[in-house]
Amino acid sequence: MTGDSEKHSYLRQVDKSPAPYFYIKTSLEYEGRGLETDSLQLKHVIMQSMTEVFGQVGASDTVDVLKLSASGEALLRVPSRSFVKLWGALTLFGKYNGLPCVFRVQQVSSSLMSLSCNSRTWDIPAMS
Amino acid sequence: MAAPFANGAPNSKLVFEKSSFDDPKSSHERVLNTKYFTHNASIILPYSSSAAQLQFEISEIQDQQVTYLIRDVPVHQLVDKEFIEAFVKKGQLYILSQRRHIDTHNCAAVFPTGHLLLHITKDTYEQLGLEGKPSVFSSLKPTKYVVDIDLKPDSFTPGRKGYDRVLWCLKDRLGLTFDLLISWNPHDEKICASSVSKFFKSKGLVVSPVPWCVQTQWQNKVRTPVLDSTVVTATEDACGRAEAWEWLGAMACGIDLSESCADNYISTLSCPTPSGSCPRCCVLSVSGFFTPVTTKWLLEKVRNEVESKQEKNKVPWGSVTFHGFQDSPVSVGSREHGFFQEGDNLHSFLTFCNKDYWLYSAYGHHDLCQ
């Protein structure tokens, strides 16, 4: 009796509260110079954008640069409590070292798995 | 005094289920059968041998279903009696509008249950003249409406009031057109699934097959979390479900965890502990328009890889994730789905060699969670 129920023990857990982290897919573009950046510089730019808008206390949460691909797309991880602040700071950021630049946020999600594909940018060869 | 800064992060939903494929009440078949539209499948298989190869040919996926893209289809074509009799009633029909954003545009879908769903803006709804309901995610002033038309009843036929009204509204009142992705599984095996493309070609429409696209990456010497199907909360001996979920996401996104550690300046994401060394790990991603026929085939292939007894290709566990379309009007079954900052609707199976599985179902803020 117990053996059978343990063998097929069913468990269901539902998380409806905000997830611990949010993930953002974004790219940093400079005017006229494209996507020139590296992970270290990108991290510095992101922390600078947070400091500019929210000050040192507002920028105290950790923002992780998980990946920077050759195409310039970066994956960021941020605690949920700072997700809106980071998105706001990225949107308002417009100049680095005197050069006009812009963060383009392509996709956000509470699960990292979701950022592995984006059906909105699916380019069907038959359509193009 | 400064006002507190609102958190503002949208409420995501993650449903975790632990069950066994042997359990007669297991819900994996039901979930896959009612997940009508899948855009991408990500497969992660950590092998214990450095010479391991996939035991199945991913190219066989093309034998499972055929998909077509039909451009500028007038929506009244979908209520054509000839079309209903030949395809809706004689097979499982999957249709989804393409390149339309569910939060701002008109969208359309047909399910194998024989329902045509129009997810339309307020302006279109007011011109259309058919009865619908405001989207459940609307605020006080709805901007999107849902019109559900059942195509299967025998009474839905020319000459009857209801049919004539629907046809008139769709054809004469409103010239709605969509680019449609379409796939059809006939009940009768003697009928070819490509008949549906011939039907639309005969109506003078442009029909083209939709190819699938596969990307395979083999990674060597990867740290993988130690998992036990009975342990869902992290212990000293095994990682929990949350850690496994993030690690799977990192692998699917191609994030390199080999050099990261908890006090790294750039990224503090690291492989969860306890972890083991995996000589060869396969990360495979296949994109297209997939129906339950294909998703079930893929899950079976991944299960075979994990449950096979071959020493050479031993896999302690494997994962397959099915990403739904972000702009699909439903996520699972007839549950309404929307887009708010994100439009997640994905199902991820983590299968173990003892036939247990963990199922992660992740939904965005605009989704009716079960």
Side-chain angles (χ1 to χ4, degrees), chain B residues 101-107 119-122 125 133-136 138 141-146 336:
Chain B
H101 292 179
I102 191 96
D103 46 346
T104 48
H105 300 155
N106 298 320
C107 295
H119 203 281
I120 48 182
T121 60
K122 180 170 169 277
Y125 179 69
K133 289 178 186 167
S135 164
V136 292
S138 299
K141 288 184 177 177
T143 53
K144 292 295 302 266
Y145 284 82
V146 181
E336 193 179 337

Side-chain angles (χ1 to χ4, degrees), chain A residues 68-113:
Chain A
L68 180 64
S69 61
S71 60
E73 271 182 0
L75 291 180
L76 311 180
R77 180 177 80 157
V78 62
S80 286
R81 61 177 175 270
S82 297
F83 167 65
V84 173
K85 282 197 282 186
L86 176 63
W87 197 346
L90 295 181
T91 307
L92 293 169
F93 191 73
K95 203 169 258 190
Y96 179 67
N97 281 349
L99 274 174
C101 61
V102 64
F103 274 103
R104 296 199 191 281
V105 174
Q106 277 119 17
Q107 202 179 353
V108 298
S109 179
S110 57
S111 48
L112 186 51
M113 181 62 88

Side-chain angles (χ1 to χ4, degrees), chain A:
Chain A
M1 220 13 220
T2 49
D4 208 38
S5 62
E6 270 175 26
K7 195 178 165 190
H8 296 315
S9 65
Y10 176 77
L11 177 75
R12 181 185 164 92
Q13 294 175 336
V14 182
D15 300 342
K16 282 196 172 184
S17 53
Y21 291 103
F22 260 77
Y23 304 87
I24 299 178
K25 190 189 276 183
T26 184
S27 59
L28 173 63
E29 295 176 19
Y30 291 98
E31 191 181 57
R33 285 177 54 186
L35 305 155
E36 220 176 278
T37 189
D38 61 48
S39 304
L40 199 63
Q41 190 205 16
L42 185 68
K43 169 90 183 193
H44 182 242
V45 176
I46 289 165
M47 295 321 292
Q48 189 177 323
S49 71
M50 287 285 274
T51 314
E52 271 181 17
V53 183
F54 298 104
Q56 282 194 337
V57 175
S60 58
D61 252 335
T62 310
V63 181
D64 295 312
V65 179
L66 303 180
K67 184 189 174 188
L68 180 64
S69 61
S71 60
E73 271 182 0
L75 291 180
L76 311 180
R77 180 177 80 157
V78 62
S80 286
R81 61 177 175 270
S82 297
F83 167 65
V84 173
K85 282 197 282 186
L86 176 63
W87 197 346
L90 295 181
T91 307
L92 293 169
F93 191 73
K95 203 169 258 190
Y96 179 67
N97 281 349
L99 274 174
C101 61
V102 64
F103 274 103
R104 296 199 191 281
V105 174
Q106 277 119 17
Q107 202 179 353
V108 298
S109 179
S110 57
S111 48
L112 186 51
M113 181 62 88
S114 296
L115 299 190
S116 65
C117 80
N118 187 354
S119 63
R120 285 198 161 183
T121 56
W122 183 34
D123 188 23
I124 308 175
M127 287 190 92
S128 50

